[in-house]
Amino acid sequence: MADLQEASVTLPSDPASVSVARKFVADVVREWGLPAGSDAVDTIRLIVSELATNAVQHTFGQSPTFTVELELERDDRLRIGVTDSHPRWPQRLPAAVRQDNGRGMVIVRSLTAANGGKLTVTPTEEGGKTVWIALPWAARASG
């Protein structure tokens, strides 16, 4: 395997782009070796869905696009990044908060932790941020 495999897509900050982002990541990770319909593909799709939804809904028109990046590192870690140009970082809600929306990062943090991963947020040079998820690459165990 190469030292690093990469794929990315930049999409308009529009609700229709969320399903495009989900399909993009599912297609890429299947191409890289995850079995279609596996729990790992479903988890990655759900994480990207939540992060893309946040990029669309919570940037208040200040980010005309968002970018989804995938990096498969030689150390068998998959890094997923969702970048937008809005300066506000995701807010941590208490687990006990009861509301109909705003639970995306709770879901992302939970899925990331449950799968042995790590979540970080980094600023971009343009004043936005990238939410990064690093997960163990499940294809080695399943292949």
Side-chain angles (χ1 to χ4, degrees), residues 64-141:
T65 63
F66 68 94
T67 300
V68 178
E69 299 172 72
L70 296 172
E71 299 175 353
L72 180 55
E73 300 172 340
R74 193 174 81 176
D75 65 356
D76 287 340
R77 291 172 45 89
L78 176 68
R79 285 178 27 104
I80 304 162
V82 177
T83 303
D84 64 61
S85 57
H86 192 278
R88 183 170 164 239
W89 286 29
Q91 303 300 302
R92 182 182 289 270
L93 293 177
V97 170
R98 299 277 186 233
Q99 61 187 55
D100 292 336
N101 61 13
R103 307 293 294 164
M105 288 307 294
V106 172
I107 293 168
V108 169
R109 282 185 177 92
S110 177
L111 285 171
T112 300
N115 286 281
K118 181 180 176 186
L119 181 146
T120 56
V121 182
T122 59
T124 65
E125 289 182 13
E126 298 78 27
K129 79 275 186 193
T130 303
V131 178
W132 287 104
I133 306 296
L135 297 170
W137 181 239
R140 299 289 176 262

Side-chain angles (χ1 to χ4, degrees), residues 12-43:
S13 290
D14 180 273
S17 295
V18 175
S19 63
V20 175
R22 270 195 312 264
K23 181 178 181 340
F24 170 77
V25 298
D27 290 347
V28 169
V29 297
R30 284 193 300 258
E31 180 181 307
W32 290 350
L34 286 182
S38 69
D39 287 346
V41 172
D42 290 343
T43 297

